[in-house]
Every structure is written in structure tokens, then in C-alpha cells.
Amino acid sequence: MQYEGIDNIKTEIENYLITDAETLEQFRIQYLGTKNVLKDLFTAIKDIPNENKKEYGQKINAVKQLAEEKFALLQLQFQNNKADKKHFVDTTLPVAIKNQGAKHPITLIREELVTIFSKIGYLVAEGPEIETDWYNFTALGIPEDHPAKDMQDTFYIQTNPDIVLRTHTSNVQIRVMENQNPPIRIIAPGRTYRNETISARAHCVFHQIELLYIDEGVSMADLKQTLLYLAQELFGTETQIRLRPSYFPFTEPSAELDVSCFICGGSGCAVCKYTGWVEIGGAGMVDPLVLENCKIDSEKYTGFAFGMGLERMAMLKYRINDIRLMSENDFRFLKQFENS
Ligand code: FA5
């Protein structure tokens, strides 16, 4: 009860509008004068149980100090502003926050994924968006003229065909493996670029997140368990996963990761196109040739990698039907994520 009284007086003091000498004097009398409103609260200390006395006393003292500070500051400002009383500005008033910003859905998804993986020991890694052919392609088992290059339409820098805008975050795998000895456990979120026609589902600028785990004895079972952990953390403990055989030049074997549809629970709906499953990324065991390209002994170490698109994930999670909304900065769209 008394605690509420203190909080109310604190809010009153913070919001007390002082515009001239008269209101400043009223403020002084009310909160610092001989019969000020805090006195009753000080008197009430005797009724407070012993174990709470200290906390209670500290609270009232803090409020008293707030009143003293506000008074001293305004007195000073008021003296300085005497010549211009009409334009006196009370700088102690709390700011009314209007149109406060909200986190972008891509940021929300990225933060969620980083939290999920930091709980099991993954560290965040980064790599450049302007990359050499070696890190984006060759070291990942995609040499010059390899048909796999057609899988990802690439933006090249006109004056130097060796430099590309990275087409995926897999370049970070190479940069980390070149510089770190196993065990390696990283998560690498970042922006990626592809020379693709923009549509409701595809963009030429989008985000991916890469996962890499290299150690002795890492197996496909570890990959599957990690992906199950990811799916259940993201969409709930009922979620199931399945791995479909696929092809990536840098993993062998490779797989696409599907999760049981978190909208219909697997019975079939428009989001999963009535299949009960939704695809969320690509994965596989790191190809031994990629390890050797990074001077990691492929006889001793094995590992897995996983990559997924953040826009597609945000579209699924927040039921966004057009990827373009995420880069248009329309305030009406962004506002919807204020409480996410
Ligand atoms: C890759 O980029 C691989 N590097 C992923 C990988 C990593 C596989 C590690 C194995 C091991 P893919 O081209 O399928 O794979 O792209 C991965 C995801 O990026 C897609 O599932 C999709 O979510 C997203 N993506 C790809 N192209 C676009 C695009 N144009 N617009 C938006 N998202 C896209």
C-alpha cells in the first residue's frame, strides 16, 4: 500500500509541470516544504515490518532526492531564463515516446536463431559480402566452368571476374576453417546476393544463416539431432523433421530439411501445399575435399553444414505472402512486428 503511494508521488514529481517562479515555489512547498507530502511516508516507517524497513526507507529517500534534484535544476534554469519567461522549457519532464521503432522480422528471426544455437555452444562468425571466387565457389568444390555455378546466378564485379557478391553464406565456412582449428562450432548470419528476377518468393538481395560443426567423429546422426533441436526450438516440441536426399557441391551426402507443417500440424494446408511438410534449408556432411582445401585433416575430422534463407523463414513464421515487403520499409508493415 505505502509502496504504491511512493510510486505515485514519484510519477507526480516527474511529470510536475513548472513554467514560472510561482509553479516552482508550489513545487517546493509540496515536496520539500515543512509540511511536504513525503513526510507522511517517512512517519509511516514505524508501521513497516522490520525486514522491509530498509527497502522502504531507500525508496522514499530516492523520491526525496528526485524532488531536490528537479527543484535545484529548474531553479538554476529558471534563473538563467528570467529574461525570457515565456519560452521557459522544463527539461526535466519525461519524453513522450511516439512512433517508437520496432525490430524488423529478419532481425527477429536472426536473433532467435543465434539464441537457439548459442545455447548449444555455437559462436557467431562473419564473412565479407564482396568475396573472391575462391571462397564463394572454388574452395567449396565449385571450380571454374562447373555446372553447379549455374545453381546460383552470380553478380560479378565488372572489372574483375574473380570478385563476386557472395551468393550464399557458405563462404564463411571456408574463412573460419582456414583460420581455426577444430573443434569448430559456428553460426553465420548474413546478406547474400543472386542475379535473380524479383518475385513474391525470390529476391536478388536476401539473407541466409549458415551452421558449421567440425570435430572428431561428427556424424549424420549429429546433424539430424541438431536439426531436430532447431525445428523444435523454432516451432514447438511436437515438430518432426525429415531429410530428403539432395545435391550440394560442398557436402556429401547432402539433404534438404523439411519440418512438419507448424500451421496444420501435418494434416495439410495452403502453407505446406497440402503435403504436411515445409522445406526450410539445405544441409549435409562437409565434403572431405572442402576440409582439405582448408588444410584440415579429413582422415581425423568430419563435420556437417546447414544453410537456410531468413526471408523464407520469416515468411513462414509470420505468414508474410510477399518477400518484397521485407525490403520496402513500409511503416504499416514494420509496425506489425512491434510486439513480436
Ligand atoms: C545454398 O545456398 C547452400 N549454400 C545451403 C547449404 C549450406 C547447403 C550448407 C548445405 C550446407 P540454396 O541455393 O538452396 O542453398 O539456398 C538456401 C536457401 O536460401 C533457400 O532454401 C532459400 O530459403 C534461400 N534463397 C535462395 N535463393 C533465394 C532468393 N532468390 N530469394 C530469397 N531466398 C532465397
Side-chain angles (χ1 to χ4, degrees):
M1 187 62 201
Q2 281 98 341
Y3 283 64
E4 248 172 54
I6 303 176
D7 288 339
N8 290 343
I9 293 179
K10 179 169 178 269
T11 313
E12 257 174 46
I13 292 175
E14 281 169 345
N15 291 298
Y16 200 104
L17 187 62
I18 295 166
T19 50
D20 49 25
E22 208 173 300
T23 41
L24 182 65
E25 179 59 7
Q26 279 163 9
F27 177 87
R28 190 195 63 75
I29 294 168
Q30 192 160 344
Y31 299 105
L32 303 166
T34 44
K35 287 186 186 157
N36 74 62
V37 296
L38 285 166
K39 283 210 164 154
D40 287 345
L41 293 174
F42 276 112
T43 317
I45 284 190
K46 62 180 186 330
D47 306 324
I48 300 286
N50 274 347
E51 64 271 24
N52 296 339
K53 271 197 172 52
K54 187 171 168 205
E55 190 195 348
Y56 181 84
Q58 281 170 345
K59 270 196 136 189
I60 322 177
N61 273 323
V63 174
K64 185 171 172 235
Q65 198 179 342
L66 178 74
E68 284 169 352
E69 281 170 6
K70 178 159 176 150
F71 177 74
L73 189 73
L74 285 168
Q75 194 180 34
L76 194 68
Q77 282 196 12
F78 188 62
Q79 278 162 4
N80 293 342
N81 275 277
K82 252 190 172 149
D84 188 13
K85 279 188 202 164
K86 271 199 194 127
H87 299 110
F88 179 78
V89 177
D90 180 354
T91 53
T92 68
L93 286 178
V95 180
I97 299 172
K98 284 188 201 149
N99 293 338
Q100 196 176 14
K103 283 185 183 168
H104 192 281
I106 296 296
T107 308
L108 292 170
I109 293 278
R110 191 194 64 220
E111 287 182 351
E112 191 175 358
L113 289 166
V114 167
T115 306
I116 289 172
F117 282 105
S118 51
K119 281 199 259 179
I120 53 169
Y122 282 73
L123 296 176
V124 175
E126 281 183 347
E129 291 174 23
I130 301 172
E131 190 52 290
T132 62
D133 184 280
W134 168 258
Y135 290 103
N136 196 80
F137 292 123
T138 310
L140 286 159
I142 317 172
E144 199 54 40
D145 301 327
H146 192 287
K149 264 193 179 170
D150 294 341
M151 287 167 74
Q152 302 176 353
D153 301 299
T154 311
F155 283 120
Y156 288 90
I157 303 286
Q158 229 170 19
T159 49
N160 186 350
D162 189 43
I163 311 247
V164 302
L165 295 184
R166 70 172 171 193
T167 55
H168 50 185
T169 42
S170 300
N171 67 326
V172 186
Q173 288 188 33
I174 306 298
R175 289 195 169 266
V176 170
M177 284 194 282
E178 267 186 1
N179 288 306
Q180 243 175 274
N181 293 323
I184 292 170
R185 231 191 250 116
I186 56 115
I187 177 166
R191 196 176 292 136
T192 50
Y193 304 82
R194 287 186 199 178
N195 191 1
E196 276 184 36
T197 310
I198 297 173
S199 68
R201 272 189 66 72
H203 212 289
C204 56
V205 183
F206 57 100
H207 297 77
Q208 288 190 343
I209 210 154
E210 193 87 6
L211 211 66
L212 178 71
Y213 176 32
I214 311 282
D215 202 351
E216 286 181 51
V218 177
S219 71
M220 195 79 187
D222 297 308
L223 170 60
K224 204 172 168 196
Q225 194 56 37
T226 305
L227 296 178
L228 180 64
Y229 164 75
L230 164 68
Q232 297 193 339
E233 287 282 307
L234 268 180
F235 303 115
T237 46
E238 302 298 301
T239 314
Q240 293 300 309
I241 61 162
R242 74 176 183 190
L243 294 175
R244 270 180 299 111
S246 184
Y247 171 74
F248 295 102
F250 32 91
T251 47
E252 182 58 38
S254 303
E256 299 284 350
L257 169 66
D258 291 347
V259 296
S260 55
C261 182
F262 42 89
I263 307 290
C264 63
S267 58
C269 69
V271 169
C272 62
K273 302 197 185 79
Y274 300 95
T275 62
W277 297 93
V278 185
E279 183 188 314
I280 66 165
M285 299 305 293
V286 177
D287 193 306
L289 287 175
V290 175
L291 294 175
E292 293 299 334
N293 280 340
C294 304
K295 314 245 172 337
I296 289 180
D297 182 355
S298 63
E299 295 289 322
K300 187 171 177 198
Y301 295 107
T302 51
F304 64 69
F306 167 67
M308 66 186 228
L310 294 192
E311 277 78 1
R312 297 261 172 91
M313 176 56 71
M315 287 171 82
L316 286 172
K317 191 149 187 199
Y318 299 117
R319 312 282 285 277
I320 300 166
N321 60 11
D322 195 319
I323 198 170
R324 288 167 289 202
L325 285 164
M326 278 182 262
S327 48
E328 281 170 353
N329 274 339
D330 186 325
F331 198 62
R332 290 165 302 178
F333 169 75
L334 296 172
K335 250 184 117 45
Q336 295 174 44
F337 300 93
E338 256 168 19
N339 301 316
S340 298

